[in-house]
Amino acid sequence: MRDQEYGLSHSARVHRKPPNPTTAEQRERFIHLVRLGWDLRTLGVRTSLVLPVTGQPILEIHSAAGVLARITVIRRYRGWVFTWRPWWARLWRRSEGVPVEADNTADVVMAEVNA
């Protein structure tokens, strides 16, 4: 109702797109995921970096049975955070995630993913 008062049609409300991240943000996400993938590799964990044409880069952690988790990087008010939750779960679980600057990030991510 209020959107109609301000001139937004139904199609404009339904088809809103999230803001497009800048190239610098995309590069920073990529760098954080590569570092985590390398740290996980030293722990003996198999990973794959997925770079979709559209969307965010994803680090997949593999187990012997298949893909164990898909790690993404999001920006929070305190800095960058690794998360493996779906986008909708992040709306109410804002405290969950691992800061990218943590010394034992790979260990913490594996402990959380395997829990």
Side-chain angles (χ1 to χ4, degrees):
M1 178 89 169
R2 187 173 296 259
D3 286 341
Q4 290 173 349
E5 292 173 8
Y6 295 110
L8 292 177
S9 66
H10 174 71
S11 62
R13 284 181 278 131
V14 172
H15 299 290
R16 287 183 189 155
K17 293 183 179 179
N20 192 13
T22 65
T23 304
E25 286 179 340
Q26 288 289 68
R27 187 178 303 124
E28 202 164 347
R29 281 187 173 96
F30 173 80
I31 291 168
H32 291 312
L33 289 174
V34 168
R35 285 184 187 151
L36 177 61
W38 189 260
D39 290 346
L40 289 170
R41 179 182 173 274
T42 62
L43 295 176
V45 178
R46 187 172 65 115
T47 61
S48 299
L49 184 61
V50 179
L51 300 172
V53 175
T54 60
Q56 304 301 323
I58 300 167
L59 182 70
E60 291 182 343
I61 298 175
H62 300 273
S63 66
V67 175
L68 183 61
R70 290 184 171 92
I71 309 294
T72 59
V73 181
I74 59 173
R75 182 178 285 240
R76 296 249 174 97
Y77 65 94
R78 292 178 291 181
W80 292 98
V81 175
F82 292 116
T83 185
W84 46 94
R85 309 277 188 254
W87 68 268
W88 46 265
R90 289 183 233 144
L91 297 176
W92 69 84
R93 294 180 176 178
R94 291 192 178 273
S95 62
E96 293 185 11
V98 179
V100 298
E101 297 89 15
D103 293 333
N104 59 347
T105 302
D107 295 322
V108 174
V109 166
M110 284 310 297
E112 290 291 326
V113 167
N114 287 323

